Amino acid sequence: MTGHVIVRTDAAPPADAVAQLARQGVSTVHEAQGRTGLLGHLLRPIYPGARIAGRAVTVSAQPGDNLMIHAAVEQTRPGDVLVVAFTSPNTDGAFGELLATSLRARGVLGLVIDAGCRDVAALTELGFPVWSRAVSAQGTVKASPGSVNVPIVLGGAYVRPGDVIVADDDGIVVVPRERAREVAAAGAEREAKEEEKRRQLADGVLGLDMYNLRPLLDRLGVRYVDATEQGGTATNSADPAATGAGSTGPA
């Protein structure tokens, strides 16, 4: 396929897996798929507290131009996330309240855009979440060709139409649609393990003991010493794990 295209596609991840990934959130999903798929940290939410996951509808656009975002609206459906990359770096405000109103009418959950966003107060009131590179009042034109529903690179990550986009206060992660159920299952397993760790830490167990890190400190040559009354250091003290000091959990 060559040239500029608008691809009509039904490619989508399983809805049940998307719901699980949305609940798990970015950090858990990123870890669950082997610490892959994380988009660059410069893409940040315009307001805190939003958490979404949905099918990616991708856009490749020219800098300073939002024509292809308008063209992409027609290809969206309820539960989608619009994901917009540009052919050159830019921070112009290519998205605002009017486009958000159009997307909201079609059931789109939110937007990830590697450029600027404006009308932040209105978007916040509307409850339409956006993750963007910048907030900028600089306007754009509608004049340049691009493509919709083609593979793109956004924030250093490869995103295909139909992949899962998970976004929250921690950032954005992409999950290949074929792996959605696998990653969701791994995320659920990770959550169960974290709940047990959370219980132990709340009971006062130290991470040093829960993760059995004292032997590692010893192998790395990290020593425990006692300060003198003058504020200096004295001879080595015993490992607190051996004397019971500083440890409330199992060794």
Side-chain angles (χ1 to χ4, degrees):
M1 187 170 9
T2 60
H4 303 293
V5 296
I6 297 174
V7 179
R8 303 184 186 97
T9 177
D10 291 324
D16 58 334
V18 175
Q20 283 184 277
L21 295 169
R23 181 183 56 77
Q24 291 167 4
V26 170
S27 293
T28 294
V29 172
H30 178 234
E31 295 283 353
Q33 69 171 347
R35 298 184 180 179
T36 61
L38 193 65
L39 276 64
H41 67 278
L42 295 179
L43 297 169
R44 299 300 304 151
I46 62 169
Y47 63 80
R51 172 179 286 201
I52 63 172
R55 181 186 80 130
V57 173
T58 61
V59 180
S60 175
Q62 303 284 354
D65 195 305
N66 70 358
L67 172 63
M68 298 314 297
I69 300 179
H70 284 273
V73 174
E74 184 181 23
Q75 304 306 315
T76 62
R77 63 193 191 194
D80 285 350
V81 178
L82 194 62
V83 187
V84 185
F86 289 81
T87 56
S88 295
N90 79 112
T91 57
D92 292 349
F95 185 88
E97 178 192 7
L98 294 180
L99 271 167
T101 300
S102 183
L103 288 173
R104 172 58 60 82
R106 298 184 68 86
V108 174
L109 299 178
L111 170 82
V112 177
I113 183 168
D114 198 4
C117 172
R118 61 184 188 176
D119 302 333
V120 171
L123 291 172
T124 303
E125 183 177 355
L126 184 63
F128 189 87
V130 174
W131 286 257
S132 68
R133 178 174 291 271
V135 171
S136 174
Q138 177 65 52
T140 57
V141 299
K142 299 169 181 61
S144 307
S147 294
V148 176
N149 276 332
V150 297
I152 59 174
V153 175
L154 183 72
Y158 183 64
V159 184
R160 301 169 306 162
D163 286 344
V164 187
I165 294 293
V166 185
D168 60 24
D169 286 339
D170 289 340
I172 311 135
V173 65
V174 56
V175 179
R177 58 182 179 269
E178 301 89 350
R179 296 192 61 201
R181 281 206 171 100
E182 169 200 341
V183 174
E189 182 179 349
R190 182 177 180 84
E191 283 185 318
K193 291 179 180 178
E194 286 187 345
E195 180 56 34
E196 172 58 22
K197 292 175 182 176
R198 188 177 296 109
R199 183 194 63 77
Q200 292 187 52
L201 292 169
D203 286 343
V205 176
L206 296 177
L208 280 173
D209 299 312
M210 186 173 68
Y211 295 109
N212 194 30
L213 297 176
R214 296 188 189 279
L216 175 60
L217 290 176
D218 186 59
R219 289 196 302 271
L220 293 174
V222 179
R223 301 174 301 139
Y224 286 90
V225 297
D226 294 319
T228 65
E229 291 183 2
Q230 289 75 30
T233 57
T235 58
N236 291 2
S237 68
D239 184 334
T243 62
S247 174
T248 59

